[in-house]
Amino acid sequence: MAQLLLVEDDAEIRRALIRALSERGHVVASASTSIAAMQHVIGQTPDLVVLDLGLPDLDGRELLLMLRAVSKVPVVVATARDDEATLVEVLDRGADDYVVKPFSVTQLDARIRAVLRRAGAESAAAAVLGVGTLCISPGAREATLDGRLLDLTPREFDLLSYLAVRVGTVVTKRELLVNVWRQPAGGADKTVDVHLSWLRRKLGESAQQPRYLHTVRGVGVRLNAPAER
């Protein structure tokens, strides 16, 4: 049972969403202003925030920055603004997902459950991850290979960590764009390809002679421990 905070200034929409989400098993608190939302997050620590951008006291994008300064609580943005620039901006500012109004409660609930699953997986991965002789420490944001510290950029570390949490699973480029780059699905696959190439070089391998990063043609990439020889 998830503890949700719904930040929505329209009273009619707020009542309807509280009722519908409660019927789906969530415990829903609400706030109609940014200030009230901040106070709730600091005092009550909800499992997830559903955030409308059009708030009366402060734009939801500014509230998102404030939330990220004090909390890692997952945020699903619910907005009538459907232009790509706004959606990219809210993802860059720390939103975990978004839905565009009008949306069905079924769709919103599915997004909420998906974000909570990802948050749970990331929390479980807070300890050091080991794949073969590759060790990844999410807390310290460090990775070592054969005991040697790898010189990774922040994006390369995020990419490697995301794949390590899902070791043995094929991850699509679309999923990487959404969850590592925080870009809407449909972004440039070339971005992923370039970073995978850089990461392979630092892991001492290539696409033609993979050890850890294995491309599944037409699907995505999978992180596996090297086969013992």
Side-chain angles (χ1 to χ4, degrees):
M1 183 180 296
Q3 307 280 334
L4 307 182
L5 173 62
L6 172 64
V7 187
E8 168 64 64
D9 68 318
D10 186 299
E12 185 176 346
I13 293 175
R14 190 168 63 247
R15 285 193 296 269
L17 286 178
I18 289 173
R19 182 174 61 254
L21 291 172
S22 297
E23 289 173 352
R24 283 163 172 79
H26 303 295
V27 176
V28 188
S30 67
S32 59
T33 66
S34 296
I35 298 302
M38 279 295 296
Q39 291 172 339
H40 185 93
V41 168
I42 293 171
Q44 304 297 322
T45 59
D47 296 317
L48 182 141
V49 174
V50 178
L51 173 62
D52 179 34
L53 296 183
L55 299 173
D57 56 341
L58 190 68
D59 187 86
R61 292 171 297 180
E62 298 306 313
L63 173 57
L64 186 54
L65 286 179
M66 293 168 60
L67 287 173
R68 281 292 163 261
V70 300
S71 173
K72 294 182 179 180
V73 60
V75 177
V76 175
V77 167
T79 178
R81 306 174 194 175
D82 61 355
D83 59 290
E84 183 173 323
T86 296
L87 300 180
V88 169
E89 182 182 5
V90 297
L91 291 171
D92 284 342
R93 291 190 176 206
D96 295 271
D97 204 346
Y98 62 84
V99 289
V100 177
K101 296 178 180 179
F103 53 80
S104 68
V105 175
T106 299
Q107 180 188 11
L108 175 60
D109 183 46
R111 298 295 182 98
I112 289 170
R113 288 185 284 105
V115 169
L116 288 172
R117 284 196 301 272
R118 292 201 299 268
E122 289 168 4
S123 177
V128 174
L129 302 169
V131 182
T133 59
L134 177 64
C135 293
I136 302 161
S137 175
R141 291 188 65 81
E142 291 181 349
T144 61
L145 179 63
D146 298 322
R148 176 178 56 85
L149 185 65
L150 295 174
D151 181 19
L152 302 179
T153 66
R155 188 72 77 189
E156 288 167 353
F157 181 85
D158 290 342
L159 174 58
L160 182 61
S161 295
Y162 191 87
L163 293 171
V165 170
R166 296 154 183 82
V167 64
T169 301
V170 180
V171 180
T172 66
K173 293 178 183 178
R174 174 176 296 182
E175 181 179 345
L176 292 172
L177 281 169
V178 171
N179 294 296
V180 177
W181 274 263
R182 304 297 185 186
Q183 292 184 11
D189 286 357
K190 189 66 175 177
T191 299
V192 178
D193 291 334
V194 169
H195 280 78
L196 284 172
S197 176
W198 292 340
L199 191 53
R200 282 192 173 100
R201 190 177 307 135
K202 293 179 180 181
L203 292 175
E205 62 182 69
S206 66
Q208 292 73 35
Q209 294 182 309
R211 295 182 65 234
Y212 285 92
L213 297 174
H214 300 263
T215 297
V216 179
R217 190 174 300 277
V219 183
V221 63
R222 180 182 64 238
L223 178 70
N224 270 352
E228 293 185 4
R229 297 182 179 180

